[in-house]
């Protein structure tokens, strides 16, 4: 049995972020911005096509019977799973362990607005992004996100040992933390790699449990012309 970690398909924020979500100055306060990110931002038409591709790409897993599909509590993750795994309508589990990094009051701020509003955190945001704690109740990648990722890996290990195939639909930053743990790599290496090439929308990372640890067994991404 295996674990598949997937980034949600293309969202309207991914496709059009600088024309509506990141404006200087931002038209929403932090609480409203986070609510928009979690509950409103859905998929583009391309995102729906990528989700359908995921269903085809993972068809061999969905035929294994004891399938467990988990998503974050964000709409774009839920919609990706619902389209990809249409044979399990309403059966995909939602868990905050897979949520995107909480950016607090910094949600949807441009860098210029963020640095002007919160200058004390500018150096961490520029040079040590994994350690940066967003203002107003946010969580860092190295602490809050990593803690949730550890708990999810424990959950996934127990499920796979119990004979389940686990599919996790989540977000770019959460995937960085998961890859650090699943691939036994320093977080800084994974973050540096992501600066050069961000996790593709609908990208898949596959892992197999062997001798009590997950080992990577391959990755895939949807065609660019979808």
């Amino acid at each position: 049995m295996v674990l598949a970690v997937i980034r949600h398909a293309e969202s309207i924020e991914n496709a059009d972020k600088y024309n509506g979500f990141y404006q200087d100055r931002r038209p929403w306060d932090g609480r409203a911005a986070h609510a928009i990110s979690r509950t409103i931002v859905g998929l583009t038409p391309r995102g729906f096509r990528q989700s359908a591709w995921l269903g085809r790409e993972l068809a061999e897993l969905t035929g294994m019977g004891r399938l467990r599909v988990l998503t974050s509590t964000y709409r774009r993750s839920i919609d990706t799973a619902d389209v990809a795994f249409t044979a399990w309508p309403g059966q995909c589990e939602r868990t905050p362990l897979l949520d995107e990094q909480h950016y607090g009051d910094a949600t949807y701020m441009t860098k210029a607005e963020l640095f002007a509003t919160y200058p004390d955190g500018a150096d961490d945001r520029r040079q040590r992004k994994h350690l940066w704690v967003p203002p107003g109740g946010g969580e860092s990648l190295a602490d809050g996100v990593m803690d949730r990722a550890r708990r999810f890996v424990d959950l996934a290990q127990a499920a796979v040992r119990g004979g389940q195939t686990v599919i996790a639909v989540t977000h770019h930053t959460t995937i960085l933390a998961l890859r650090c743990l699943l691939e036994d790599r320093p977080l800084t290496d994974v973050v540096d790699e992501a600066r050069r090439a961000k996790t593709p929308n609908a990208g898949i990372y596959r892992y197999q449990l062997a001798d009590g640890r997950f080992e990577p067994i391959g990755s895939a991404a949807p065609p660019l012309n979808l």
Side-chain angles (χ1 to χ4, degrees), residues 3-17:
L3 165 65
V5 176
I6 301 166
R7 186 183 179 199
H8 64 81
E10 184 184 77
S11 71
I12 56 175
E13 176 192 332
N14 299 143
D16 202 33
K17 62 192 298 182

Side-chain angles (χ1 to χ4, degrees), residues 3 95-99 131 139-158 161 173-182 184-187 213-214:
L3 165 65
T95 173
L97 297 180
L98 292 173
D99 280 357
L131 299 177
E139 61 180 352
S140 72
L141 169 55
D143 187 7
V145 180
M146 186 65 75
D147 176 67
R148 290 190 285 106
R150 286 192 184 95
R151 287 184 281 154
F152 181 79
V153 170
D154 289 343
L155 181 158
Q157 284 183 336
R161 286 194 188 103
T173 309
T174 307
I175 288 175
L176 299 184
L178 288 170
R179 289 186 63 198
C180 168
L181 298 170
L182 294 167
D184 193 23
R185 298 174 59 192
L187 180 58
R213 294 188 60 85
F214 282 110

